[in-house]
Amino acid sequence: MKEVNEKYFKKIYLNILKAIIVLLYFLVLNVIYENVNSNYMQTGIKVFTMIILFISIYIFEKAYKKDSDDLAVQGIEILILSAYTLTIEHITNKFNFGFRNYSLVASYIFAIYFILKCIIIYTKGRKEIAQNLSDIREIVKKDKPIKKEATKKKKENKEISDDKSKAKVKTKNNKNKIKDKETKNEEIQNKNTKKSKQDKISEKDQKTSNNKKEVKVND
């Protein structure tokens, strides 16, 4: 699993890009200040301020329509940059700050702000991933007893089924034994009946033979 979600990486890259753009912006202001006279410089600052202000208003409108906190924050950032650009010449003249040094300090402040923002976003992403992993572990822990219970129940059902099968086999064997016993008893009875008939026939023949002997003696 990734350390940070892709959406957080996009935000980090965007803030790094902003830091680079702000540094380039102040660098361009310094170059213009050194190579252009004060009248053109004032006009240039006003133009830059208006452009940045329009961008800020556009972002605020977009943030309002989408109800996006991220866009609202970006709008505030650009609004601060436009306000700084508008007041830069006034502050440098009033407090006798060097334009170049003041611009460099401002660019460093903005760059540090965006870097800190990247670190916060990265930390937030890591926490979210850790929270998701924790939730997954909790779900797995909850599922384990259920699985164990299901396995135990399955085992018990199997044992019951085996016992039933054994009982059926035992019953069947008992029935077969009883049937075999009945068959043997029938065979014994048939033998006894047959023997009894043979004995009766022998006895009858013996009587007949004796009667014949008696008749001969009488004659």
Side-chain angles (χ1 to χ4, degrees):
M1 188 177 282
K2 290 181 179 179
E3 288 186 355
V4 180
N5 198 305
E6 194 175 337
K7 68 178 181 179
Y8 290 107
F9 272 123
K10 285 180 180 178
K11 289 180 181 179
I12 290 166
Y13 296 146
L14 181 62
N15 281 284
I16 292 169
L17 182 63
K18 285 179 189 176
I20 293 167
I21 290 169
V22 168
L23 287 171
L24 290 172
Y25 172 72
F26 283 108
L27 180 63
V28 169
L29 282 180
N30 273 322
V31 171
I32 293 171
Y33 180 78
E34 289 176 359
N35 294 287
V36 177
N37 63 45
S38 60
N39 291 328
Y40 286 117
M41 184 63 189
Q42 287 178 1
T43 306
I45 286 173
K46 288 177 182 178
V47 170
F48 278 130
T49 304
M50 292 299 292
I51 290 168
I52 295 169
L53 191 61
F54 280 126
I55 292 169
S56 176
I57 292 167
Y58 172 75
I59 291 171
F60 276 126
E61 285 182 359
K62 202 171 179 182
Y64 178 76
K65 287 176 182 177
K66 290 187 176 182
D67 194 20
S68 173
D69 293 334
D70 289 337
L71 286 174
V73 171
Q74 289 177 31
I76 292 168
E77 290 167 355
I78 294 172
L79 185 63
I80 290 168
L81 184 62
S82 67
Y84 176 83
T85 304
L86 185 64
T87 58
I88 188 170
E89 194 174 7
H90 174 72
I91 291 170
T92 53
N93 290 330
K94 186 175 182 180
F95 297 100
N96 290 323
F97 291 143
F99 186 90
R100 184 177 179 183
N101 293 331
Y102 188 69
S103 298
L104 283 173
V105 170
S107 65
Y108 293 152
I109 290 168
F110 275 102
I112 290 165
Y113 163 75
F114 286 119
I115 289 166
L116 287 174
K117 194 177 174 185
C118 289
I119 293 167
I120 291 166
I121 291 166
Y122 181 79
T123 306
K124 188 179 177 183
R126 286 291 298 272
K127 283 182 180 179
E128 186 178 291
I129 294 293
Q131 184 65 38
N132 290 337
L133 287 172
S134 178
D135 292 342
I136 290 166
R137 287 194 192 101
E138 285 180 8
I139 291 165
V140 170
K141 282 179 183 177
K142 287 177 183 178
D143 285 344
K144 275 184 180 178
I146 295 168
K147 285 180 180 177
K148 284 182 181 177
E149 189 66 29
T151 306
K152 189 178 178 183
K153 198 170 181 181
K154 193 177 179 181
K155 194 175 179 182
E156 287 175 357
N157 290 335
K158 192 178 179 183
E159 286 175 358
I160 292 165
S161 180
D162 290 341
D163 290 340
K164 285 181 179 179
S165 299
K166 286 177 183 177
K168 283 181 181 179
V169 171
K170 196 173 180 182
T171 305
K172 192 175 181 181
N173 289 335
N174 289 334
K175 284 181 179 179
N176 288 335
K177 284 180 182 179
I178 292 166
K179 194 174 181 182
D180 290 341
K181 197 172 181 182
E182 288 176 352
T183 305
K184 285 181 181 179
N185 289 333
E186 284 179 3
E187 286 176 356
I188 292 166
Q189 284 178 1
N190 289 333
K191 283 181 181 179
N192 290 333
T193 304
K194 193 174 180 182
K195 190 175 180 184
S196 177
K197 284 181 179 180
Q198 285 177 352
D199 290 340
K200 283 181 181 180
I201 291 166
S202 297
E203 189 178 349
K204 193 175 179 182
D205 290 340
Q206 185 68 33
K207 283 181 181 180
T208 304
S209 178
N210 289 334
N211 288 332
K212 283 181 181 180
K213 284 180 181 179
E214 287 175 2
V215 170
K216 283 182 182 181
V217 172
N218 290 330
D219 290 339

